[in-house]
Amino acid sequence: MRIKDEQLKRFLVDAGLVSKADLIAAEKIAKEENRSLAEALISHGHMTEDDMRRVESYVLGIPFVSLKDQKIDFDTLTIIPEPVARKHNIIAFKKNEDSLEVAMLDTADLPAIDFIKKKVGLKIQARLTDTESMRSALRLYQKNLKDEFGDLIMQDASKLKVLEEENGEELTESQLKKAAEDLPVVRIVDTLLRHAIIQGASDIHIEPMEEEMIVRYRVDGVLHDAMRLPQIAAGSIAARVKVLSNLKLDQKRLPQDGRFKMEMDGQKVAFRVSILPIFYGEKIVMRLLRENRSGFSLEGIGFHGSTLDRIHRATRATTGIILVTGPTGSGKSTTLYTILDILNTPEVNISTIEDPIEYQMPRINQSQVKPEIGFTFAAGLRSLMRQDPDIIMVGEIRDQETASLAINAALTGHLVLATLHTNSATGTIARLIDMGAEPFLLVSTLRVAVGQRLVRKLADDKIPYKLSKAERDELQEKVDLDKILESLKDEGVIKKDATWNDVDFFRPKEKGKTEDGYHGRMGIHEVIEMSPALKEMVIAEKTGDEVQAQAEKEGMLRMIEDGIFKAAQGLTSIEEVLRVINE
């Protein structure tokens, strides 16, 4: 950074961005370590690098630009070769008649500016940007090349050797390994993996058919065809994935599970691999887990208002159970890890038992279950109790023994976090009682139960509209619109005197910034907190509907109502909420 320490100090004090105490501490560190004030503030967490870039932009009068979701002409982008762009963190994003606008993380990188000036013969106008903008812009080099991926993959596929069994005898493991290390198959699998990361896929499905092999990516919860390959590629690709996952190459009759990691653009991605024998070969599904995801907040994943308050109250407790429920792929793990991140302080010991370990977290002791050797959730939980933990996370409560042990752990002074497969928050109570949990013990330990789904978020170029009376009447049959309107007013989303006639909803713009008008996903939630009235109802063995009615009476927004709340905020569409809830 090029701002002088005194200049930076004056600006931070005037703007109130850093407290005087933190500034004094940072100055002392800077002096002791012979560093600039900016470096000391960043290294000790008082400001992020992006915060400092915005300050630099303001003080030095250098414009700040965000490149996220910005369309950059491919010819303009490639004025700067990709290796130079990556090395110097510099992107050409706008070409004028006599100048070229470039976005940088450090405008003091003069060699890079000189190189580009000589190359294009234009005046270079430097702009500052943030790390995420730079990362997404660098991905554009590969996004714009995706049409070429298909040709390259087909060229490599034509060079693959057919893995046939000779004289009815199966190929040996060494023969399969040699085929898996053949250059064309290495390139094909590497390209498919990288392309999935670029597209933000959560899963890759590789499915052999009678005459071809289909590769599909799940993006924002929806599967899309990504590539069709000749059937001869199936055996080599399966062998390559097995080599990467350290699985048995000659085992084709039984399912296998494994995992491997790769790094791309500074992003570490773990691939969880499942291989299943089917009629035409082996179907491969890979779940992508971005390991260095951090900084999630409960607000950032969709909690708000009273639902957020209920979660925070539960996390402040030192004993009890916090349960997150929903179907597979509904974001339960992300919610649990976000809560763990909040609880992860030096004063507590946190241990987990998971299947699998999806995100690796510092200072947390994470264990992977291995049922084949008897290390189940129940066995792991029993062992964890002897490890003196303050907080325990159980990946999933699947049986009576695990449920009983989790309740016992909560009763003996531990805070327990766990997931459960049910369709709603109130369904959690009935599910645990079905598993054999005693109602009087359950109400003594259960703090909150969270039910959730994931909905797609609308892209920025969404189209506004207002609900007609007929549409409101139809929606009123599914949700309590009056309660949602009051929640919107309470949280300051709309004015106190607003009616539904004043609220804009939005539809996706087809073929806009994104293919289907959506980009990314967020959670819709319902959170039930065990109040005294609810405890009495559970002990009295009231029905699930009666418990649900009481929870709503106490202010709980149902999942579908939380979805409509977020649609009224312009975050998603009513159609998307109804699609997800009806699934």
Side-chain angles (χ1 to χ4, degrees), residues 91 331 394 442:
I91 290 289
V394 183
L442 182 57

Side-chain angles (χ1 to χ4, degrees), residues 426-442:
T426 47
T428 305
I429 297 163
R431 179 86 178 93
L432 286 169
I433 291 171
D434 284 346
M435 281 184 175
E438 294 286 352
F440 71 94
L441 292 177
L442 182 57

Side-chain angles (χ1 to χ4, degrees), residues 311-330:
I311 297 286
H312 277 308
R313 277 197 293 274
T315 59
R316 285 195 288 270
T318 53
T319 63
I321 301 174
I322 297 172
L323 278 177
V324 182
T325 73
T328 301
S330 60

Side-chain angles (χ1 to χ4, degrees), residues 343-493:
L343 296 169
N344 190 8
T345 62
E347 296 81 35
V348 294
N349 179 341
I350 302 177
S351 294
T352 75
I353 178 77
E354 305 172 56
D355 182 23
I357 296 169
E358 295 198 5
Y359 303 114
Q360 291 173 340
M361 299 185 74
R363 299 183 66 94
I364 291 180
N365 311 292
Q366 296 172 268
S367 301
Q368 164 87 46
V369 302
K370 290 186 174 64
E372 64 274 13
I373 59 170
F375 188 37
T376 60
F377 278 116
L381 188 48
R382 209 176 281 111
S383 298
L384 284 189
M385 294 286 284
R386 303 187 202 106
Q387 289 275 311
D388 187 33
D390 299 291
I391 298 162
I392 297 169
M393 195 262 268
V394 183
E396 186 184 340
I397 294 177
R398 292 177 180 168
D399 52 45
Q400 181 179 350
E401 189 180 8
T402 311
S404 174
L405 285 165
I407 289 170
N408 186 55
L411 285 169
T412 53
H414 305 87
L415 184 62
V416 179
L417 282 66
T419 70
L420 192 70
H421 280 279
T422 61
N423 290 325
S424 65
T426 47
T428 305
I429 297 163
R431 179 86 178 93
L432 286 169
I433 291 171
D434 284 346
M435 281 184 175
E438 294 286 352
F440 71 94
L441 292 177
L442 182 57
V443 298
S444 302
T445 53
L446 185 60
R447 297 283 178 187
V448 293
V450 181
Q452 68 178 60
R453 299 286 189 283
L454 292 177
V455 294
R456 291 178 294 169
K457 293 194 290 186
L458 286 164
D460 293 339
D461 53 353
K462 56 199 173 189
I463 302 165
Y465 73 100
K466 286 192 167 61
L467 286 177
S468 66
K469 187 176 186 309
E471 288 171 323
R472 287 205 303 272
D473 290 343
E474 188 182 345
L475 198 56
Q476 181 71 48
E477 294 174 9
K478 298 182 176 74
V479 299
D480 186 341
L481 285 176
D482 292 336
K483 185 164 73 170
I484 297 169
L485 192 66
E486 281 306 308
S487 295
L488 288 164
K489 290 176 182 178
D490 291 343
E491 295 186 37
V493 177

Side-chain angles (χ1 to χ4, degrees), residues 148-179:
E148 294 178 31
F149 281 170
D151 296 333
L152 290 170
I153 285 178
M154 291 309 290
Q155 285 171 22
D156 284 334
S158 66
K159 299 172 191 170
L160 288 175
K161 294 170 186 171
V162 183
L163 297 186
E164 291 180 343
E165 297 174 0
E166 299 172 10
N167 304 321
E169 293 180 11
E170 293 185 1
L171 297 177
T172 65
E173 187 157 356
S174 60
Q175 289 172 311
L176 287 165
K177 189 170 183 181
K178 188 178 178 184

